[in-house]
Amino acid sequence: MRALRFLVAAFWLVAESSANDALQLGFRNSMPSDVELFWEAPDNGARHSVGTLPADGGILWQTTAVGHVFSYDDSTGERQRVTASAGHPFVSLGDGGADMESGDDSNDDEVRVRCSTTVGAGESFDILVRPHWSPLGAARFLDLVRQKYYDDCALTRVVPRFLTQLGIGADAQARSAWRHKTIKDDPRPWGVTFQPGMLSFAGGGPDSRTMEIFVVMPGAPPSVLANFGTNPWETPFGIVDTFAKPLEDSAVARWHSYGDLPPWGKGPDHAKIYPQDGYEYLRREFPKLDYLKKCWIVADSRDSADL
């Protein structure tokens, strides 16, 4: 019955959108719990579920039309409504109401992710995930964080003044599964150029992003920075927070480097990490390699003193 209601809602959305000006609208959940989104039929106001958005940054895209009404119940149980309008491709769903966003460089809805590392005594760093820069990329990264995919993940390609690449996870079954779950490329955010500390997904062609990401390293010169973003999959989805500590003094700057991957250097061969014994290869051949210990969304960890 639930699937039937979803199909009915999808039919009405497509029919209405074809008759009016079609609009791609991205809904983002800024609340600490999952939320179900509904479309309200224009003839009788009946609510039809269109999907559930995960907590803390979950994103759902809808093809709709100007004037369509959506609704959700916030974490206090209050019913909130939002009307689709031109010029506002993003909607942030929050307690007390929804905020329409123009897609500019407003960081009010960024999501903080904290990662502990093997540097020092488990030194950590924070990532400010900005979904308006790369909606699909941010949603994929947050999904992986929620599933603890990056826990114990090796920093396999550390090249000073260039990048650190990671994302071939410690769990062989998980990395094998996620390796084939691609997402489409995001449009390049207007006015946002790569800077040290920014994060993006790595890829090997259009619409090839899966789970491998990279961090632009401190000290990357302009000539290097200019090359980031030239590929369609390279869209920044976040940046390392430097409010409390400059990037040059953070754990990021002190990750151990074995150099670039072959054939450009003598670092770990990524093709040898994907098999079942990939992490045994890393521990045997690259004993000084650094790792992420745990990554979590800060709002989800208020009571996690052990982290």
Side-chain angles (χ1 to χ4, degrees), residues 88-121:
H88 296 87
F90 300 106
V91 182
S92 177
L93 308 182
D95 287 328
D99 293 325
M100 305 294 291
E101 302 175 9
S102 62
D104 59 14
D105 196 26
S106 171
N107 300 325
D108 293 341
D109 202 35
E110 65 190 15
V111 180
R112 182 178 295 271
V113 171
R114 184 164 296 157
C115 295
S116 58
T117 73
T118 53
V119 172

Side-chain angles (χ1 to χ4, degrees), residues 29 34 54-58 139 141-149 295 297 300:
N29 181 13
D34 295 355
D56 295 308
F141 176 71
L142 292 172
D143 189 18
L144 290 166
V145 170
R146 289 189 191 94
Q147 297 192 37
K148 303 184 184 303
Y149 175 82
C295 289
I297 296 171
D300 286 344

